Amino acid sequence: MKNICVFCGSSQGKLPIFKQTAIDFAKILVQENCTLIYGEGRLGLMGIIADTVLESGGNAIGVIPDFMMDKEVAHQGLTELRITASMHERKYEMARLADGFAVLPGGMGTLDEMAEILTWNQLLILKKPIGILNVNGYYDPLLKMMDEMVNAGFLRPKGRELLLHSTEPAGLIGKLKDYVPGNDNIWNSIKRG
């Protein structure tokens, strides 16, 4: 796996463990010779991961919509910068470049990006692994909600299995690298008539 796209917060969060885990994750990306693909911000966990990758001798490709360039949130000094016309194009470009996706703590934008990649995988638009780094139990409620979606009949078990997870950076990168996509999508399991 060459390119890992990271979705995470544009803030650091309140707990020091969020920042430290982002640093640890970035260092392992470089050790594993993975290029960082991300939403190009210089703030929060996004900036911390990019800075750590670059300081550790790795490569970081940022993708940003042009309207955000004007807000002075762009990171300077990346290996490569790609500017898109919209947020939709930004997500498409990150998905196109990535071999897999890692989700670290974040807010609504992070959840949006994760949900879209999961949906694209369900529909076989993509066949790329996605997993969450469950730092300090941050994503426990989300995992529980996904289990409830299965129990209530709104998410098929195969759809639930698409979201990998680990509490350790190395564990998540290992799961992303070991992932073997299936050939089933939700349409194959829908009963007709």
Side-chain angles (χ1 to χ4, degrees):
M1 181 164 297
K2 183 181 176 194
N3 297 333
I4 294 184
C5 181
V6 176
F7 302 137
C8 62
S10 58
S11 66
Q12 292 186 26
K14 293 182 176 179
L15 300 178
I17 193 170
F18 295 138
K19 178 180 178 181
Q20 186 58 55
T21 304
I23 291 168
D24 296 344
F25 186 84
K27 287 179 179 179
I28 293 171
L29 277 181
V30 175
Q31 290 171 5
E32 294 290 324
N33 294 314
C34 297
T35 294
L36 168 67
I37 309 295
Y38 84 116
E40 210 292 309
R42 65 176 169 78
L43 304 173
L45 295 184
M46 294 171 71
I48 290 167
I49 289 174
D51 288 343
T52 304
V53 164
L54 294 167
E55 290 165 5
S56 301
N59 295 312
I61 299 173
V63 184
I64 189 169
D66 57 4
F67 78 89
M68 290 182 77
M69 292 290 292
D70 298 335
K71 297 185 185 298
E72 299 182 5
V73 297
H75 192 294
Q76 303 301 316
L78 296 174
T79 309
E80 187 176 338
L81 171 64
R82 297 191 180 204
I83 301 172
T84 64
S86 69
M87 291 293 281
H88 293 291
E89 289 180 26
R90 175 199 205 188
K91 288 192 285 187
Y92 172 81
E93 183 66 6
M94 289 190 297
R96 188 184 70 76
L97 292 170
D99 299 313
F101 303 86
V103 183
L104 277 66
M108 296 304 287
T110 302
L111 291 177
D112 170 58
E113 292 164 331
M114 179 194 70
E116 188 151 28
I117 296 303
L118 284 169
T119 301
W120 288 359
N121 271 314
Q122 274 189 306
L123 300 174
L124 296 181
I125 295 168
L126 288 180
K127 291 177 100 174
K128 298 178 180 182
I130 180 169
I132 59 174
L133 186 54
N134 193 13
V135 180
N136 200 46
Y138 181 77
Y139 283 117
D140 285 350
L142 174 68
L143 295 170
K144 185 176 178 182
M145 183 66 216
M146 292 184 74
D147 291 338
E148 182 56 30
M149 289 175 182
V150 172
N151 292 337
F154 289 105
L155 178 64
R156 288 172 176 73
K158 286 187 179 188
R160 170 65 181 85
E161 292 169 11
L162 290 173
L163 185 60
L164 308 171
H165 56 92
S166 178
T167 58
E168 298 295 326
L172 181 59
I173 291 173
K175 286 183 177 188
L176 293 174
K177 286 186 166 196
D178 292 343
Y179 178 79
V180 177
N183 292 317
D184 293 335
N185 67 25
I186 62 169
W187 306 112
N188 293 343
S189 59
I190 293 175
K191 294 181 180 174
R192 308 275 184 211

